[in-house]
mmCIF file of all heavy atoms in Angstrom:
data_model
loop_
_atom_site.group_PDB
_atom_site.id
_atom_site.type_symbol
_atom_site.label_atom_id
_atom_site.label_comp_id
_atom_site.label_asym_id
_atom_site.label_seq_id
_atom_site.Cartn_x
_atom_site.Cartn_y
_atom_site.Cartn_z
ATOM 1 N N GLY A 370 4.034 -4.370 -16.867
ATOM 2 C CA GLY A 370 5.238 -4.743 -17.422
ATOM 3 C C GLY A 370 5.652 -3.918 -18.589
ATOM 4 O O GLY A 370 6.806 -3.494 -18.791
ATOM 5 N N VAL A 371 4.679 -3.600 -19.488
ATOM 6 C CA VAL A 371 4.908 -2.817 -20.588
ATOM 7 C C VAL A 371 5.270 -1.398 -20.113
ATOM 8 O O VAL A 371 6.217 -0.774 -20.694
ATOM 9 C CB VAL A 371 3.686 -2.799 -21.544
ATOM 10 C CG1 VAL A 371 3.754 -1.673 -22.528
ATOM 11 C CG2 VAL A 371 3.448 -4.013 -22.259
ATOM 12 N N TYR A 372 4.453 -0.860 -19.240
ATOM 13 C CA TYR A 372 4.853 0.440 -18.656
ATOM 14 C C TYR A 372 6.320 0.469 -18.122
ATOM 15 O O TYR A 372 7.145 1.377 -18.233
ATOM 16 C CB TYR A 372 3.922 0.927 -17.614
ATOM 17 C CG TYR A 372 4.308 2.177 -16.981
ATOM 18 C CD1 TYR A 372 4.129 3.371 -17.505
ATOM 19 C CD2 TYR A 372 4.791 2.150 -15.612
ATOM 20 C CE1 TYR A 372 4.424 4.595 -16.836
ATOM 21 C CE2 TYR A 372 5.095 3.285 -14.871
ATOM 22 C CZ TYR A 372 5.065 4.406 -15.517
ATOM 23 O OH TYR A 372 5.358 5.573 -14.872
ATOM 24 N N GLN A 373 6.676 -0.448 -17.298
ATOM 25 C CA GLN A 373 7.868 -0.548 -16.605
ATOM 26 C C GLN A 373 8.994 -0.651 -17.614
ATOM 27 O O GLN A 373 10.095 -0.109 -17.578
ATOM 28 C CB GLN A 373 8.067 -1.707 -15.550
ATOM 29 C CG GLN A 373 7.163 -1.400 -14.282
ATOM 30 C CD GLN A 373 7.231 -2.679 -13.384
ATOM 31 O OE1 GLN A 373 7.382 -3.814 -13.791
ATOM 32 N NE2 GLN A 373 7.096 -2.423 -12.136
ATOM 33 N N SER A 374 8.838 -1.407 -18.681
ATOM 34 C CA SER A 374 9.877 -1.528 -19.822
ATOM 35 C C SER A 374 10.057 -0.328 -20.454
ATOM 36 O O SER A 374 11.169 0.005 -20.729
ATOM 37 C CB SER A 374 9.328 -2.686 -20.721
ATOM 38 O OG SER A 374 9.253 -3.997 -20.085
ATOM 39 N N TRP A 375 9.044 0.489 -20.893
ATOM 40 C CA TRP A 375 9.251 1.621 -21.351
ATOM 41 C C TRP A 375 9.998 2.680 -20.502
ATOM 42 O O TRP A 375 10.820 3.358 -21.067
ATOM 43 C CB TRP A 375 7.834 2.311 -21.809
ATOM 44 C CG TRP A 375 7.946 3.848 -22.111
ATOM 45 C CD1 TRP A 375 8.275 4.339 -23.328
ATOM 46 C CD2 TRP A 375 7.708 4.911 -21.352
ATOM 47 N NE1 TRP A 375 8.250 5.692 -23.224
ATOM 48 C CE2 TRP A 375 8.033 6.113 -21.974
ATOM 49 C CE3 TRP A 375 7.303 5.028 -19.904
ATOM 50 C CZ2 TRP A 375 7.788 7.316 -21.450
ATOM 51 C CZ3 TRP A 375 7.301 6.210 -19.351
ATOM 52 C CH2 TRP A 375 7.406 7.375 -20.133
ATOM 53 N N ARG A 376 9.600 2.637 -19.247
ATOM 54 C CA ARG A 376 10.295 3.575 -18.241
ATOM 55 C C ARG A 376 11.717 3.315 -18.137
ATOM 56 O O ARG A 376 12.524 4.183 -18.061
ATOM 57 C CB ARG A 376 9.595 3.474 -16.914
ATOM 58 C CG ARG A 376 9.967 4.449 -16.031
ATOM 59 C CD ARG A 376 9.107 4.356 -14.704
ATOM 60 N NE ARG A 376 9.521 5.321 -13.684
ATOM 61 C CZ ARG A 376 10.452 4.970 -12.773
ATOM 62 N NH1 ARG A 376 10.825 3.668 -12.701
ATOM 63 N NH2 ARG A 376 10.859 5.785 -11.847
ATOM 64 N N GLN A 377 12.211 1.987 -18.132
ATOM 65 C CA GLN A 377 13.456 1.584 -17.959
ATOM 66 C C GLN A 377 14.363 1.613 -19.159
ATOM 67 O O GLN A 377 15.558 1.686 -19.015
ATOM 68 C CB GLN A 377 13.568 0.276 -17.172
ATOM 69 C CG GLN A 377 12.835 0.166 -15.754
ATOM 70 C CD GLN A 377 13.510 1.205 -14.775
ATOM 71 O OE1 GLN A 377 14.679 1.536 -14.906
ATOM 72 N NE2 GLN A 377 12.701 1.650 -13.823
ATOM 73 N N LEU A 378 13.695 1.411 -20.315
ATOM 74 C CA LEU A 378 14.622 1.302 -21.557
ATOM 75 C C LEU A 378 14.508 2.541 -22.327
ATOM 76 O O LEU A 378 15.651 3.093 -22.729
ATOM 77 C CB LEU A 378 14.001 0.175 -22.438
ATOM 78 C CG LEU A 378 14.217 -1.310 -21.836
ATOM 79 C CD1 LEU A 378 13.579 -2.275 -22.865
ATOM 80 C CD2 LEU A 378 15.748 -1.571 -21.570
ATOM 81 N N GLY A 379 13.331 3.152 -22.644
ATOM 82 C CA GLY A 379 13.306 4.374 -23.366
ATOM 83 C C GLY A 379 13.512 4.130 -24.918
ATOM 84 O O GLY A 379 13.024 5.097 -25.639
ATOM 85 N N SER A 380 13.992 3.159 -25.459
ATOM 86 C CA SER A 380 14.108 3.011 -26.893
ATOM 87 C C SER A 380 14.284 1.525 -27.221
ATOM 88 O O SER A 380 14.627 0.683 -26.371
ATOM 89 C CB SER A 380 15.477 3.804 -27.335
ATOM 90 O OG SER A 380 16.579 3.122 -26.854
ATOM 91 N N TRP A 381 13.868 1.273 -28.488
ATOM 92 C CA TRP A 381 14.024 -0.144 -28.979
ATOM 93 C C TRP A 381 15.366 -0.685 -28.898
ATOM 94 O O TRP A 381 15.654 -1.847 -28.602
ATOM 95 C CB TRP A 381 13.361 -0.248 -30.264
ATOM 96 C CG TRP A 381 11.821 -0.139 -30.368
ATOM 97 C CD1 TRP A 381 11.239 1.110 -30.724
ATOM 98 C CD2 TRP A 381 10.772 -1.012 -29.919
ATOM 99 N NE1 TRP A 381 9.821 0.890 -30.709
ATOM 100 C CE2 TRP A 381 9.496 -0.399 -30.111
ATOM 101 C CE3 TRP A 381 10.892 -2.246 -29.231
ATOM 102 C CZ2 TRP A 381 8.358 -1.009 -29.771
ATOM 103 C CZ3 TRP A 381 9.627 -2.865 -28.883
ATOM 104 C CH2 TRP A 381 8.450 -2.189 -29.088
ATOM 105 N N SER A 382 16.321 0.215 -29.240
ATOM 106 C CA SER A 382 17.745 -0.192 -29.307
ATOM 107 C C SER A 382 18.266 -0.693 -28.014
ATOM 108 O O SER A 382 19.191 -1.576 -27.934
ATOM 109 C CB SER A 382 18.649 0.840 -29.880
ATOM 110 O OG SER A 382 18.574 1.970 -29.067
ATOM 111 N N ALA A 383 17.684 -0.249 -26.906
ATOM 112 C CA ALA A 383 18.191 -0.609 -25.572
ATOM 113 C C ALA A 383 17.967 -2.059 -25.248
ATOM 114 O O ALA A 383 18.641 -2.669 -24.396
ATOM 115 C CB ALA A 383 17.660 0.270 -24.514
ATOM 116 N N PHE A 384 16.981 -2.735 -26.021
ATOM 117 C CA PHE A 384 16.812 -4.093 -25.794
ATOM 118 C C PHE A 384 17.926 -4.959 -26.098
ATOM 119 O O PHE A 384 18.261 -5.953 -25.498
ATOM 120 C CB PHE A 384 15.591 -4.591 -26.647
ATOM 121 C CG PHE A 384 14.255 -4.474 -26.035
ATOM 122 C CD1 PHE A 384 13.287 -3.537 -26.458
ATOM 123 C CD2 PHE A 384 13.862 -5.304 -24.936
ATOM 124 C CE1 PHE A 384 12.163 -3.387 -25.880
ATOM 125 C CE2 PHE A 384 12.524 -5.230 -24.452
ATOM 126 C CZ PHE A 384 11.753 -4.236 -24.859
ATOM 127 N N THR A 385 18.714 -4.575 -27.032
ATOM 128 C CA THR A 385 19.790 -5.447 -27.574
ATOM 129 C C THR A 385 21.134 -4.821 -27.266
ATOM 130 O O THR A 385 22.195 -5.483 -27.126
ATOM 131 C CB THR A 385 19.874 -5.656 -28.994
ATOM 132 O OG1 THR A 385 19.785 -4.253 -29.754
ATOM 133 C CG2 THR A 385 18.555 -6.430 -29.472
ATOM 134 N N GLU A 386 21.179 -3.472 -26.929
ATOM 135 C CA GLU A 386 22.530 -2.746 -26.662
ATOM 136 C C GLU A 386 22.816 -2.648 -25.203
ATOM 137 O O GLU A 386 23.949 -2.229 -24.946
ATOM 138 C CB GLU A 386 22.404 -1.471 -27.295
ATOM 139 C CG GLU A 386 22.367 -1.444 -28.845
ATOM 140 C CD GLU A 386 22.271 -0.050 -29.492
ATOM 141 O OE1 GLU A 386 22.312 0.902 -28.729
ATOM 142 O OE2 GLU A 386 22.110 0.069 -30.707
ATOM 143 N N THR A 387 21.989 -2.937 -24.392
ATOM 144 C CA THR A 387 22.270 -2.860 -22.903
ATOM 145 C C THR A 387 22.012 -4.181 -22.147
ATOM 146 O O THR A 387 21.142 -5.050 -22.600
ATOM 147 C CB THR A 387 21.307 -1.881 -22.292
ATOM 148 O OG1 THR A 387 19.938 -2.245 -22.281
ATOM 149 C CG2 THR A 387 21.457 -0.493 -22.957
ATOM 150 N N ARG A 388 22.593 -4.397 -21.067
ATOM 151 C CA ARG A 388 22.432 -5.683 -20.277
ATOM 152 C C ARG A 388 21.194 -5.756 -19.732
ATOM 153 O O ARG A 388 20.477 -6.828 -19.748
ATOM 154 C CB ARG A 388 23.434 -5.737 -19.226
ATOM 155 C CG ARG A 388 23.573 -7.054 -18.367
ATOM 156 C CD ARG A 388 24.760 -7.204 -17.467
ATOM 157 N NE ARG A 388 24.651 -8.474 -16.888
ATOM 158 C CZ ARG A 388 24.091 -8.798 -15.665
ATOM 159 N NH1 ARG A 388 23.544 -7.737 -14.955
ATOM 160 N NH2 ARG A 388 24.038 -9.829 -15.116
ATOM 161 N N TYR A 389 20.538 -4.616 -19.362
ATOM 162 C CA TYR A 389 19.221 -4.703 -18.777
ATOM 163 C C TYR A 389 18.253 -5.049 -19.797
ATOM 164 O O TYR A 389 17.293 -5.812 -19.552
ATOM 165 C CB TYR A 389 18.792 -3.270 -18.257
ATOM 166 C CG TYR A 389 17.488 -3.165 -17.593
ATOM 167 C CD1 TYR A 389 17.492 -3.200 -16.233
ATOM 168 C CD2 TYR A 389 16.171 -2.999 -18.317
ATOM 169 C CE1 TYR A 389 16.195 -3.146 -15.528
ATOM 170 C CE2 TYR A 389 14.991 -2.834 -17.685
ATOM 171 C CZ TYR A 389 14.929 -2.931 -16.192
ATOM 172 O OH TYR A 389 13.828 -3.046 -15.574
#
Side-chain angles (χ1 to χ4, degrees):
V371 168
Y372 171 76
Q373 289 177 333
S374 300
W375 166 81
R376 184 173 177 271
Q377 298 298 338
L378 290 177
S380 66
W381 291 108
S382 61
F384 270 109
T385 56
E386 295 177 1
T387 65
R388 184 170 183 267
Y389 187 95

